[in-house]
Amino acid sequence: MANQDKTGSLFSEEEMTRVMGGFDFKDNTPVTCLGMEFENDETRRSYFREELRKKLPELRKIEGFPIGEDDDIINLSDPPYYTACPNPWTPEIINEWNNEKETLLKEGKRSNSFNVPFPYSKDISVGKNDPIYTAHSYHTKVPHKAIMKLLYYYTQPGDIIYDGFAGTGMTGVAAGMCEFGSDATRGEERSLGKRHCICSDLSPIASFIAFNLNNNNSAELRNFSAILEDVKQEYGDLYRTKHTNGKYGEIFFMVWSDIVICDSCGGEAKFMDLFSRIGEGRIDDYAICPHCGAEIKRSTCKKKKENYFDNRLGESRERTVSVPYLIVYYYNGHKFRKTPDAEDIALIEDIKNTPNNSWVPTLPLGEGDKMEDPKAKGVYYIHQLYTDRTLFILSKLWERCSMYNKFCLTNSIARNLTKLNRFIVNKYHMNGRINGPLSGTLYVPSEIVEQNIFDLLEVKHSPEVENMNLNNIIQVGDALHNSIIPDQSVDYIFTDPPFGDNIMYSELNRITEAWLNVITNSKDEAIANKTQNKEAADYMRLIQGAFVDYFRILKPGKWMTVEFSNTKASIWNAIQTAIQNAGFVISSVTAFDKVHGGIKSMRYTTSVKEDLIITCYKPNDSILKEINLSNSINIWDFIDDHLNHLPVHIIKGNATTSIVERNPKILYDRMLSYFVANNIQVPLDAGDFQKGLRERYIEIDGMFFTAPQAAEYEEKKKTAPNFVPMGIIVSDEANGIEWLKNLLRNNPKTYQEIQPEWMQAINGLRKGDVLPELRDILEENFIEESDGKWRIADPEKQVDLDKLRFKNLMKEFNIYVEAVNKPKAKPIKNARLEAVRAGFKECYKKKDFITIIKVGEMISPNMLQEDEQLLRYYDVATRHV
């Protein structure tokens, strides 16, 4: 795949000097790297590249190694800190960072007693208009200033951060910028000081962007403007167009229109003529054939095809016919539009027939969920995604740029310079406007916008990101197989993993990676994807593998923050189950309100439309040793440790707000999750557990505290005396019981008083779940007084109610078991979720994993995939059978 020499230079020094206008781009300052002295940075780079070449045979054995030739991987790398493959210098760099910690400790900038007792609970309000954030587009990003707030809270100067789904490296930027602070983090700083980061991503283009945003390549980046100007001087006339006075203006963009064929008469018309109303700002869904008057539907209209000879492939191909339709151009500082004239068409033909010896990627698009649309237009190879003019000029720029200059090109190379670029009619823009590609797709529109490459790149180039010199580890690596990183070497993890089937990263990145000559290895890409035969269960398996490795490298007692967004409850439950199965304990789930800039406590899957922040921790050494030695754990040791990882008091305005995770049901769920994930027998049922809570801890406002925490809570509550109870949406029976407890805790009510509020609270029941009648739920879980009012049962009575309820639930579960064991068993369309939960739990205690699997396969898939408890038991059962 390579077309570069072994040193990584893309052209001769004489050519470089010409392009740079005589600028000497080499820095001859001596440098020290990993304890070695080098004459200059270029000498350092050459030495480590040769060392990387020697290490590649062994590195290629690591799962997830990218697809590419040795030369391309080496030329894309700037070792030892950045490698376009797993980074073999990681242990050595970490050792150097640990030595720095000792220095910081002596200087009083670190403390051995540093401890973070509970999760971050303040508002996170950070905009996305920072120049570093906007310097390069990518599918998903978290602003580095938002991450800085978390780093200041969870870490201290010198700490080592890890992000295994690093994308464009915002976690690394945040780690380095902690040395300086920002307006967005004012007041958050525990202490200013640089943190170190390991940024790993499966995608070569993501890691390439991360490297450039995390390092100071200012000299090379500044010279991109010189290269751009040089190429413009040579080829700028390819964008000229004649004005009405016979003089020439400069094309801003050209719109190409598909040709539509009428099904009724076979007549041809331009798509834009039929459906677009530029001056009126609309596109019609239907049009009338100008030849026969038949109605043509925009979404299903037939497009004209043509055969052509593809010079790059050396063979004939078929494609959709697209013709020049509209030119928007500048003349004398003003914008005009015109229909392409004969001279414009002739120029396009001249460009098509002009030999171009510069290299362009001819990689096939390959197979994928997003690949069918471009193929429908005859686009099967990367180079076919560009017009002839764009491809010609882009190839000239690419061959003159150093690998660092190419960073400026990659921002547009997969988007606004391709045939994915859309035109939109707009009543506020009489010339129409550029709408860019449709996000998350490879959709080729019927009205393609060909932009002026020089105009676009002059705007896109952002010199404001040139001051970074962070020396973070940047690598292309699989989050499931980061064996190079030593055990328990990381102080904090911030990660923004793939969100199920939301984004097909490897498919969308293929365009830019084709130019880099290094492609994502998608075998273990943690997504749900039909082409890769990966469903929600596969996604959970892969994402769990990443969290298992996260657990291995994180130090005991330290924290992990997972930023997550997905509209599917099944994916939300998959990631939450994966986190807990890996050994982490979830301490809080908060929703990040991007509109109002706040976070609020969350628990239930009806809210997955919002971005979520999942905060969890790795249990401390004593807990882990107890499990390793006896494959058991004292339940109250676990609860002690967990309560000490939860906030004591949260204030909103003048009110104390409920802490969801201190609710007895949630405490039981967290304990249950941890025990099941570690294959430990659960010693108590929910009733006995709650009795034990009341015997050992202090209950206030429906929450449980240790004695010191209770005193702190009461003291702080005096400053915000009003209490805001936990908001619960009744999406299943268990939530309904908690909702009723909140309603009746201080104010018993009659059935007639409860029923209207209950009906309003019910929302979003899972498909297939049977919710019992309100009266049945009351009778099983509450006490009715002589005056007809229902109240919460006393602890002693509650134990009896719980036993009776469990007996009833098991009766129903046994009916399901009997049904699935019949010779011709049919799927169970509707089932009582709480009965299935109780049954799965009892089967787990008896190690009856076959029954869990049988029932799990016969109930509604939605019920299984969208419920955390069922999914957890089912996953454990499948691993034991």
Side-chain angles (χ1 to χ4, degrees), residues 378-604:
V379 175
Y380 282 81
Y381 294 83
I382 298 297
H383 69 285
Q384 294 170 348
L385 278 166
Y386 302 90
T387 64
D388 293 316
R389 174 165 40 201
T390 299
L391 191 64
F392 183 90
I393 297 173
L394 188 53
S395 68
K396 301 303 178 185
L397 282 167
W398 191 260
E399 72 178 358
R400 298 189 189 196
C401 285
S402 72
M403 194 52 68
Y404 309 106
N405 301 141
K406 287 178 178 177
F407 168 68
C408 301
L409 284 175
T410 55
N411 199 15
S412 300
I413 213 166
R415 292 182 53 79
N416 301 72
L417 292 179
T418 67
K419 292 180 180 178
L420 308 180
N421 208 18
R422 297 172 298 156
F423 177 75
I424 187 170
V425 298
N426 190 303
K427 63 182 179 180
Y428 302 110
H429 296 77
M430 294 308 294
N431 294 318
R433 65 179 179 86
I434 303 164
N435 202 32
L438 187 62
S439 178
T441 74
L442 294 175
Y443 169 69
V444 179
S446 293
E447 62 286 354
I448 295 165
V449 175
E450 177 191 0
Q451 280 190 258
N452 182 323
I453 192 169
F454 302 113
D455 183 83
L456 176 65
L457 292 176
E458 285 169 358
V459 173
K460 285 285 185 182
H461 176 45
S462 176
E464 296 178 77
V465 301
E466 297 171 5
N467 300 316
M468 309 299 291
N469 191 16
L470 306 181
N471 277 352
N472 289 317
I473 295 173
I474 312 291
Q475 68 167 12
V476 176
D478 185 346
L480 283 73
H481 303 100
N482 260 320
S483 56
I484 292 175
I485 302 176
D487 292 358
Q488 298 186 11
S489 58
V490 169
D491 298 293
Y492 172 66
I493 295 173
F494 177 88
T495 193
D496 179 17
F499 309 145
D501 58 359
N502 275 17
I503 301 172
M504 304 295 113
Y505 293 90
S506 61
E507 295 178 22
L508 300 175
N509 289 341
R510 193 172 179 85
I511 301 171
T512 321
E513 291 177 354
W515 286 89
L516 297 179
N517 272 342
V518 185
I519 309 298
T520 297
N521 182 340
S522 62
K523 178 186 174 184
D524 284 334
E525 184 180 17
I527 57 173
N529 181 287
K530 292 179 182 177
T531 305
Q532 296 180 23
N533 294 316
K534 294 174 183 173
E535 299 179 346
D538 301 292
Y539 169 74
M540 191 182 90
R541 172 181 55 82
L542 291 165
I543 209 75
Q544 183 170 308
F547 288 128
V548 166
D549 205 59
Y550 283 9
F551 189 85
R552 175 185 67 82
I553 65 177
L554 187 66
K555 295 175 181 176
K558 298 294 185 178
W559 294 86
M560 176 173 74
T561 300
V562 182
E563 198 277 341
F564 179 79
S565 176
N566 190 287
T567 57
K568 292 185 178 179
S570 59
I571 297 299
W572 157 242
N573 280 305
I575 200 164
Q576 192 170 218
T577 301
I579 289 170
Q580 294 175 118
N581 284 351
F584 290 100
V585 182
I586 294 176
S587 180
S588 72
V589 179
T590 53
F592 181 26
D593 185 348
K594 290 184 176 178
V595 177
H596 300 104
I599 60 175
K600 54 188 177 183
S601 293
M602 300 299 298
R603 170 63 185 166
Y604 305 107

Side-chain angles (χ1 to χ4, degrees), residues 211-350:
F211 163 67
N212 280 278
L213 292 181
N214 276 264
N215 286 280
N216 184 359
N217 297 304
S218 55
E220 291 88 350
L221 291 172
R222 276 197 300 271
N223 288 318
F224 178 75
S225 296
I227 296 171
L228 191 64
E229 183 58 32
D230 186 79
V231 176
K232 186 174 182 178
Q233 288 294 324
E234 199 167 342
Y235 299 109
D237 282 351
L238 296 185
Y239 288 108
R240 74 176 192 174
T241 188
K242 192 174 287 184
H243 189 49
T244 52
N245 61 4
K247 296 182 179 180
Y248 289 99
E250 182 181 13
I251 294 175
F252 175 38
F253 66 82
M254 175 183 283
V255 180
W256 293 69
S257 175
D258 284 353
I259 300 296
V260 175
I261 299 175
C262 176
D263 280 334
S264 297
C265 69
E268 298 179 2
K270 294 175 183 175
F271 178 92
M272 294 286 290
D273 283 339
L274 286 177
F275 299 106
S276 295
R277 306 289 177 262
I278 297 176
E280 300 172 31
R282 75 172 198 271
I283 295 180
D284 293 338
D285 291 327
Y286 294 90
I288 301 300
C289 173
H291 306 291
C292 70
E295 186 177 72
I296 302 174
K297 188 177 181 180
R298 176 164 61 93
S299 60
T300 57
C301 61
K302 183 179 179 182
K303 308 292 176 60
K304 184 179 180 180
K305 305 282 187 179
E306 68 175 357
N307 288 314
Y308 75 104
F309 187 79
D310 189 313
N311 292 314
R312 294 288 176 178
L313 300 177
E315 62 185 37
S316 293
R317 307 288 302 179
E318 184 184 68
R319 66 183 175 191
T320 298
V321 176
S322 190
V323 297
Y325 181 80
L326 172 71
I327 292 176
V328 175
Y329 65 100
Y330 288 107
Y331 178 77
N332 200 25
H334 298 283
K335 192 183 290 185
F336 300 88
R337 73 179 183 187
K338 61 180 278 191
T339 299
D341 57 32
E343 190 172 332
D344 296 316
I345 303 300
L347 176 60
I348 291 170
E349 287 299 314
D350 286 345

Side-chain angles (χ1 to χ4, degrees), residues 806 809-810 813 833-843:
F806 178 73
L809 291 174
M810 288 306 299
F813 180 73
L833 176 59
E834 281 300 294
V836 182
R837 284 175 174 171
F840 276 21
K841 179 184 171 186
E842 190 66 13
C843 288

